[in-house]
Amino acid sequence: PAGRTCPSRTGVVAVPTVVALADGEVVGFSGSGPSRDDDAPRERELYFLYLLSAWHGTGIGQQLFDAAVGDEAVSLWVAE
């Protein structure tokens, strides 16, 4: 996995990043790590999952999700 950074209460932390490639081009990426909230409903948090719209419905998004979180239950922040 590649690496990205993600803000936390104690500063910026490195986040293992899973990258999806198609014909040598990046088409998506995902990453997760320890929850950043003291009162989080889960110990792990899905930090990001992005997939180019041309690749929606191909199963790559599910593969990125599975690679980022495995079988663990995770939380996710969603903006309204």
Side-chain angles (χ1 to χ4, degrees):
R4 293 179 53 91
T5 59
C6 192
S8 77
R9 268 192 270 288
T10 59
V12 176
V13 296
V15 177
T17 303
V18 180
V19 177
L21 300 173
D23 298 323
E25 298 290 326
V26 174
V27 298
F29 52 89
S30 63
S32 67
S35 180
R36 295 172 284 178
D37 293 314
D38 292 332
D39 61 347
R42 302 285 185 259
E43 291 184 22
R44 293 189 60 79
E45 179 180 335
L46 178 64
Y47 296 146
F48 49 85
L49 191 153
Y50 180 80
L51 183 64
L52 293 174
S53 61
W55 295 92
H56 291 184
T58 64
I60 293 175
Q62 183 67 56
Q63 292 175 358
L64 286 167
F65 179 84
D66 292 344
V69 304
D71 293 331
E72 293 186 65
V74 295
S75 61
L76 172 68
W77 275 95
V78 178
E80 292 187 73

